[in-house]
Amino acid sequence: MTPVTLRYGNLLEPRLGPGRGVDPGRLEEGGELAQGFAGAMDVLQERRKTGELGFMDLPSDTTLIRQVQEVADSFGQWFETLVVVGIGGSSLGGRAVAEALLDPHWNERTDEERDHFPQLYFLENADPDSTAALLDRVDLRRTLFNVISKSGGTAETMAQYMIIEERLRDELGPDGARGHLLFTTDPDAGALRALARSREIPALPVPANVGGRFSVLSPVGLLPAAVTGVDIEALLAGAAEMQERCLNPELTRNPAGLLAGLLHTADTELGHPVHVFMPYADRLRALSLWFQQLWAESLGKKGQGGDATPESGGVGPTPVAALGAVDQHSLLQLLMEGPRDKVVLFLRVGRRSEPLPIPRTHSEEPALAYLGGHTLEELLDTELRATVEALRRDGRPSLTLEVETLDARALGELFMLFQVATVLAGGWYGVDPLDQPGVELGKRLTSGLLGREGYDRPELDDAEDGNWTV
Ligand code: PA5
């Protein structure tokens, strides 16, 4: 079993050319990046000591893991369908696990093919089209709704809960409805916790020191995984192993330190603020979205001094969620010839469950013949290697993560790697990666406009829009 590896040569000067990459000497002991890393590590260790980095305790929280497995075992067998209701950090991690590890056509499989594990849907957006369509489709009598909200007050999730709860009550009566609800929320605070207590609805805790986008290895991501038969112990074992590696004080032996330090340097020194995450695996499309949220919401901040002026508006890279090889037919032209403001973080999967041979047919047609005898796995992998090389030849930087086999263990490693890298990058950028003050104003305005008690109704500056609309 090979651990996840990070190839970073294509972000270094020897490969990219003078001024285009990082001088490897800067990574060695005494080098500037190694010193910056030591500072970022100090911040991480300090915050760990004060108990702020709860996500790092999750792989060893045996009580919580047992609780999740017990709840999953007791609920899973009763229901044909699990609907996860949540948004942002309360959804993307669970989606990333499900897409990576369940059969791609999970919900179309028969009960037997799914080994009697339930179908799984995610209700994320407050979009009436998708919400109504899903609620009309599922059999309420055989569906469990896992309502996930750390704060217990997110408008989209609460509104969906209210619609679901009323439908359940109409169909099953108040007592029956209760048996189809499972909350995942803060252990003490928030409206969802209060409802769980007053209505005796079962509820799993999200530890108080685990924030939304760092919650994938808490009951937020683990419950849907366990209910659908994912090996959550392997997921957590992978995370624990990676955590060990990410605490190595030597930068060149620490994958999270290198990921954070090199991407930060690419942004702030080399002029590459756009960080494109491009796994070459359909199963990792949702992981790409999960990374995008983690990187953006954690690092896009006002910052303290430095680059952060009122004019610049703050600091932080712009992550872009992509997918190889599909986006070779969409983004690649821009990546190859557009502004030199991007770094691509590729993700390569070494071995697939089914390489799928391409038959040696059509030997008379050169455009097809050369493909025969290879496999789809080889084709995808070759395209990745060719793209990395094409970028390098033009002095365009990239990093490549390699996963031998895409299983629960490797996925756990990736989750932990990205989360620790995010905290370290926060140290480098001088921002708090755990908060998200920038999303508050929009929430306050929404509450005021919808007449929430304690919120003033705001004036929106859209009175003249009529003059400026075509
Ligand atoms: O990462 C975060 O903190 C956010 O993306 C939240 O997960 C998202 O806003 C949903 O919040 P909550 O879980 O409180 O409903």
Side-chain angles (χ1 to χ4, degrees):
M1 194 170 33
T2 317
V4 169
T5 52
L6 173 68
R7 289 178 183 268
Y8 56 97
N10 289 324
L11 218 153
L12 300 181
E13 258 186 350
R15 289 253 179 98
L16 291 181
R20 290 260 162 91
V22 174
D23 171 359
R26 297 178 67 197
L27 304 171
E28 301 298 335
E29 206 187 327
E32 274 167 271
L33 271 168
Q35 287 172 23
F37 169 63
M41 264 311 229
D42 285 348
V43 176
L44 180 142
Q45 295 290 17
E46 194 49 44
R47 298 196 82 171
R48 224 185 147 196
K49 245 187 259 157
T50 54
E52 292 171 272
L53 302 182
F55 75 91
M56 296 182 79
D57 302 328
L58 294 170
S60 56
D61 190 339
T62 45
T63 314
L64 196 56
I65 300 162
R66 204 173 318 118
Q67 200 180 349
V68 168
Q69 196 62 64
E70 275 168 20
V71 172
D73 292 345
S74 63
F75 274 98
Q77 57 182 315
W78 296 107
F79 295 100
E80 177 185 86
T81 306
L82 170 66
V83 177
V84 175
V85 186
I87 197 162
S90 285
S91 158
L92 289 167
R95 271 181 62 192
V97 175
E99 279 192 32
L101 302 179
L102 299 184
D103 180 288
H105 297 282
W106 183 254
N107 290 338
E108 294 152 42
R109 298 287 185 204
T110 63
D111 220 28
E112 286 70 35
E113 285 170 337
R114 278 186 274 103
D115 254 346
H116 303 282
F117 289 114
Q119 295 179 321
L120 176 62
Y121 293 95
F122 289 85
L123 209 45
E124 238 172 351
N125 204 0
D127 182 328
D129 287 347
S130 37
T131 304
L134 181 65
L135 294 182
D136 289 345
R137 190 186 181 287
V138 298
D139 177 356
L140 291 181
R141 293 174 178 276
R142 304 195 61 192
T143 301
L144 173 67
F145 293 90
N146 180 201
V147 183
I148 307 182
S149 175
K150 170 76 192 295
S151 63
T154 299
E156 297 89 339
T157 308
M158 293 307 107
Q160 281 165 329
Y161 159 70
M162 289 160 78
I163 293 167
I164 290 163
E165 194 266 346
E166 186 187 55
R167 287 204 186 194
L168 285 171
R169 242 182 320 113
D170 287 350
E171 179 119 359
L172 307 163
D175 283 344
R178 204 185 307 131
H180 290 252
L181 291 166
L182 168 65
F183 294 164
T184 305
T185 189
D186 189 273
D188 301 305
L192 221 46
R193 178 57 63 181
L195 273 172
R197 286 197 187 108
S198 64
R199 300 195 174 188
E200 294 178 25
I201 294 168
L204 282 164
V206 188
N209 59 358
V210 174
R213 56 194 177 276
F214 293 90
S215 69
V216 59
L217 301 175
S218 80
V220 170
L222 293 186
L223 191 276
V227 170
T228 48
V230 168
D231 183 351
I232 61 170
E233 291 202 356
L235 193 72
L236 293 162
E241 258 169 39
M242 178 55 84
Q243 182 164 313
E244 189 80 27
R245 294 174 66 198
C246 293
L247 291 175
N248 193 313
E250 211 179 308
L251 177 56
T252 50
R253 298 174 65 83
N254 185 318
L258 285 168
L259 195 60
L262 290 170
L263 287 175
H264 172 261
T265 308
D267 173 7
T268 57
E269 291 182 36
L270 302 172
H272 302 282
V274 181
H275 298 172
V276 181
F277 180 41
M278 196 158 167
Y280 275 59
D282 284 351
R283 286 170 173 273
L284 295 178
R285 200 188 273 270
L287 183 78
S288 210
L289 294 172
W290 175 85
F291 167 77
Q292 177 176 259
Q293 188 224 5
L294 183 70
W295 211 238
E297 205 167 45
S298 304
L299 303 176
K301 299 282 158 72
K302 279 193 174 144
Q304 304 151 355
D307 297 339
T309 62
E311 289 71 36
S312 74
V315 298
T318 301
V320 174
L323 181 73
V326 175
D327 284 323
Q328 289 188 197
H329 302 268
S330 153
L331 287 176
L332 188 59
Q333 171 60 32
L334 176 72
L335 302 180
M336 283 299 306
E337 294 190 347
R340 292 182 182 278
D341 60 356
K342 300 166 200 69
V343 187
V344 188
L345 172 56
F346 293 101
L347 196 156
R348 169 174 184 262
V349 177
R351 259 187 298 120
R352 319 274 167 159
S353 44
E354 169 59 89
L356 211 54
I358 308 169
R360 288 182 196 277
T361 53
H362 298 80
S363 54
E364 72 294 350
E365 177 48 73
L368 278 64
Y370 76 101
L371 296 167
H374 295 288
T375 63
L376 279 192
E377 177 180 84
E378 254 184 293
L379 173 61
L380 200 58
D381 202 42
T382 309
E383 291 195 276
L384 191 165
R385 285 169 50 215
T387 306
V388 169
E389 175 61 8
L391 287 168
R392 189 200 65 75
R393 287 188 183 188
D394 194 43
R396 293 175 184 255
S398 69
L399 295 164
T400 303
L401 282 167
E402 290 192 356
V403 169
E404 190 187 44
T405 311
L406 184 52
D407 55 15
R409 205 176 182 95
L411 192 65
E413 287 185 64
L414 289 170
F415 283 135
M416 188 54 78
L417 169 65
F418 283 126
Q419 291 179 110
V420 177
T422 301
V423 174
L424 291 174
W428 253 299
Y429 277 105
V431 300
D432 181 356
L434 305 181
D435 67 4
Q436 55 283 327
V439 301
E440 289 311 315
L441 178 59
K443 281 190 188 171
R444 260 204 334 269
L445 294 176
T446 304
S447 293
L449 286 167
L450 292 175
R452 181 171 176 179
E453 200 185 310
Y455 290 77
D456 293 333
R457 190 178 176 80
E459 283 300 319
L460 295 193
D461 187 17
D462 57 5
E464 286 177 293
D465 273 5
N467 299 334
W468 301 332
T469 306
V470 290

